[in-house]
Amino acid sequence: MGITPKRVSWRASQSFTVATVAIGCFGHLYLSTFIVPILPYMLEVRMNLDPSQIQAMTSAILATYAFTELIASPVIGHYADKISSRKIPLLVGLCIELVATVAVATTRNLPLFFFARLLQAISGMVLWIVGCATMADIVGTENMGKATGITTAAVSAGSLAGPMMAGILVETVGYWQAWSLSILVLVVDLVMRLMMIENPRPRPITLATSENTDKSVDFTSREGSSDSDTSAADDCHEQTNLLPPRIREVKEQKGIHFYICLSRHPRFLTAQYSYMLYSLLLASLEATLPLHVQSTFGWGSFGAGMMFLALQAPGIVLSPIVGWLRDRVGTRHPTWIAFAVLTPDIWLLGTPGDARFPWAMGERGWAVYTASVIFIGVFSNLLNGVGMMESKHVVDELETSNPGIFGPHGGYSRVCATSSMSWSVGMLLGPIISGCKSSLQERGVAV
C-alpha cells in the first residue's frame, strides 16, 4: 500500500525543510571547526611531525581549507542549478563528507590528510550551497528572514560547539570517542536528508532561448540598459510585447553572464560587500584574540574561550529574532545600524593595552574589552545572512520580470555560491590584515 500524501506532508513542509538545512549548516560548521583545537595533537602525535613545524603546518591546513571553499563555490553553484533535484547532490555530498571525515580521523599520512581535508571542504560547500538553495526554493521571500535566522543560529551553535566539544571530549573520553560524535552528527544529517521531500514553489513558465537568439533579452551587451531592476524589467517588456500572450522569449544568462547580470545591480554588490566585511571582522578576531588577551591581560586558553563564547553565544539566541525583524523591515536599516555601532566598537576594542589610552589599562581595560566583544557578538547578527537574502531578492525580481532568465531551475545555487565566495574572501583576508597590523604594532609602528 502506498504512502498517502497526508502522511508525508510534514516531510515536504517548509518547517521540516528549514530544520533539515539548519542541521546541515550546524554539521558543516561543527566539522570545519572541530579539528582546530586537536590539530596540533594530530600532527605531532599521530603523524610524528616535528614540533617546530606544527604552527606553520596548522596555518597551511586551515588556509588550504578556506581557499578550496573559495575556488569550489562557483563551480558547485553552476552545476547545482543544472540539476532538477536538489536532494541528489545533497546526498552525494553528505556521503563524500562522511568518507572524508573518517579518513581525516584515521589517517597517519600527511598527504592523505590534506587530500581528505580538501574533500571535506568541497563536500561541505556542496551541502552548504545546495542546502541554502533548497531553502530558497521552498521558503517565500516573506519568510526568508526567519528561515535565515534559524540557520544562522545553527551556524553559531556549530561554530561554538565544534572546538568546545573537541577539546573537552579528547581530554575526558579520548580521541576516537570524540570523532564518534562527529560521525553521529553526519548520520543524523543523512537521515533527515533522506526523509525530506522536495516541494519547491512553482516557477513562471517561459520559452527560454539560446544565447544566440536575436529575439532574446540581453542584459549584458544591450546598449543603454540601466542598472536598476525596473529598467531591466522595462527592457524585457519592450523586447517581448510583440510576442503572443503567455509566451515570452528571454535569453538565459549562463556562465559569466549570470554574474555580470547580477553585478549590474548595486543592491547585489552592496549585499556581497557587507557580507564580506562581516566575515573579515570575525576572521580577524579569531586570528588575533587569543594572543592579544594573553599579551595584554595575561589570560590563558580559558579566558580566550570565554571571549569566543561572548562572541558566538548571542547569535544562537538573537538570530531568529533578527530574522523576524528583517522580514518586517528589510535588511537596509539593520545593516547600516550594525555598521554604525560596530565601527566605533572595533576602535574601542583596540584601546586596552595601548599606552596611548591610559584610561583603558588594568581592570578597566579588560572590562572595556569584554564589553566590546559582547557588542560585536550582538550587533554582528544584523549582518549575518544579508548577502544571501538580498541576492535572492534580486534574483526573484529578475525572474518575475523575465521568467526563465536564469534557466529552468533558477539561479539560487549560484547566488548561494556567490555569498559563500564573499564569506571565504573575508575569511582569507581577515587573518592577513589583522596579522600584518599586529606585526607592525610589535615593531612600534603606529597603525
Side-chain angles (χ1 to χ4, degrees):
M1 183 176 63
I3 301 176
T4 62
K6 183 176 181 180
R7 292 173 59 185
V8 301
S9 60
W10 62 274
R11 293 166 54 191
S13 65
Q14 288 189 12
S15 300
F16 187 76
T17 300
V18 172
T20 301
V21 173
I23 292 295
C25 292
F26 172 86
H28 173 64
L29 268 296
Y30 181 91
L31 286 175
S32 63
T33 58
F34 177 86
I35 198 174
V36 174
I38 63 175
L39 188 54
Y41 166 83
M42 297 174 68
L43 293 174
E44 182 177 359
V45 177
R46 293 185 55 80
M47 301 179 200
N48 299 317
L49 201 66
D50 187 271
S52 62
Q53 299 177 330
I54 290 178
Q55 180 60 61
M57 190 58 64
T58 298
S59 300
I61 290 171
L62 297 179
T64 302
Y65 188 93
F67 184 73
T68 303
E69 289 185 331
L70 175 62
I71 298 300
S73 293
V75 179
I76 294 170
H78 173 77
Y79 286 103
D81 275 338
K82 292 181 176 294
I83 301 175
S84 58
S85 173
R86 306 283 194 194
K87 192 172 184 178
I88 294 175
L90 285 174
L91 293 176
V92 172
L94 194 53
C95 291
I96 294 175
E97 185 165 35
L98 185 59
V99 173
T101 300
V102 172
V104 167
T106 58
T107 186
R108 292 178 177 269
N109 181 273
L110 188 59
L112 181 58
F113 180 85
F114 262 98
F115 179 72
R117 282 290 289 175
L118 293 182
L119 285 181
Q120 269 192 326
I122 294 172
S123 58
M125 275 291 96
V126 171
L127 299 178
W128 180 273
I129 292 171
V130 182
C132 292
T134 302
M135 186 174 68
D137 278 337
I138 294 174
V139 178
T141 302
E142 67 279 1
N143 295 316
M144 196 60 191
K146 291 190 286 291
T148 304
I150 293 172
T151 56
T152 300
V155 166
S156 299
S159 301
L160 184 62
M164 181 179 68
M165 295 304 295
I168 293 174
L169 292 177
V170 169
E171 290 289 336
T172 57
V173 298
Y175 178 82
W176 295 112
Q177 289 81 356
W179 277 106
S180 298
L181 182 59
S182 298
I183 301 298
L184 178 61
V185 171
L186 288 177
V187 170
V188 172
D189 190 8
L190 179 61
V191 171
M192 295 192 70
R193 306 275 183 180
L194 289 170
M195 293 175 63
M196 184 184 72
I197 296 177
E198 292 182 277
N199 186 28
R201 292 175 294 117
R203 294 184 177 278
I205 299 176
T206 183
L207 179 61
T209 66
S210 62
E211 293 191 2
N212 58 1
T213 302
D214 294 336
K215 295 180 180 179
S216 61
V217 177
D218 187 352
F219 287 120
T220 61
S221 61
R222 183 177 184 269
E223 295 183 1
S225 59
S226 172
D227 286 343
S228 67
D229 297 343
T230 303
S231 297
D234 291 341
D235 287 347
C236 179
H237 286 304
E238 290 173 3
Q239 293 280 56
T240 60
N241 57 7
L242 299 179
L243 293 173
R246 300 182 182 176
I247 299 178
R248 300 182 58 196
E249 296 186 18
V250 297
K251 178 178 179 180
E252 181 180 346
Q253 302 296 299
K254 300 178 180 179
I256 191 64
H257 297 289
F258 172 84
Y259 301 100
I260 294 176
C261 178
L262 292 182
S263 298
R264 297 175 70 88
H265 298 270
R267 184 178 184 180
F268 170 80
L269 296 176
T270 303
Q272 297 302 325
Y273 182 67
S274 299
Y275 200 44
M276 186 272 291
L277 289 180
Y278 170 59
S279 66
L280 188 149
L281 169 61
L282 293 185
S284 299
L285 284 175
E286 290 176 358
T288 58
L289 189 149
L291 292 177
H292 182 73
V293 297
Q294 181 181 20
S295 61
T296 303
F297 309 120
W299 294 353
S301 57
F302 179 80
M306 289 298 99
M307 289 297 97
F308 280 119
L309 179 64
L311 183 66
Q312 295 286 353
I316 301 176
V317 178
L318 296 177
S319 291
I321 300 174
V322 171
W324 173 87
L325 175 66
R326 287 193 292 209
D327 279 338
R328 297 297 183 276
V329 302
T331 61
R332 175 178 296 180
H333 296 302
T335 299
W336 75 257
I337 289 174
F339 281 123
V341 174
L342 290 176
T343 299
D345 188 55
I346 293 172
W347 173 84
L348 196 62
L349 187 72
T351 56
D354 193 321
R356 293 174 295 179
F357 307 100
W359 51 269
M361 297 295 182
E363 293 186 358
R364 183 182 295 175
W366 67 256
V368 170
Y369 191 86
T370 302
S372 298
V373 170
I374 293 174
F375 264 75
I376 292 175
V378 171
F379 284 93
S380 63
N381 282 282
L382 297 174
L383 301 175
N384 205 347
V386 67
M388 177 184 169
M389 283 190 64
E390 285 298 305
S391 300
K392 178 183 181 297
H393 291 330
V394 173
V395 168
D396 285 343
E397 290 172 1
L398 288 173
E399 286 192 320
T400 299
S401 301
N402 310 278
I405 188 174
F406 299 133
H409 308 302
Y412 288 151
S413 292
R414 284 168 286 178
V415 162
C416 295
T418 306
S419 297
S420 297
M421 291 173 64
S422 299
W423 178 269
S424 298
V425 168
M427 296 299 288
L428 282 174
L429 293 180
I432 295 174
I433 294 175
S434 59
C436 291
K437 179 178 179 296
S438 298
S439 178
L440 290 174
Q441 284 183 324
E442 290 176 359
R443 297 175 185 178
V445 180
V447 292

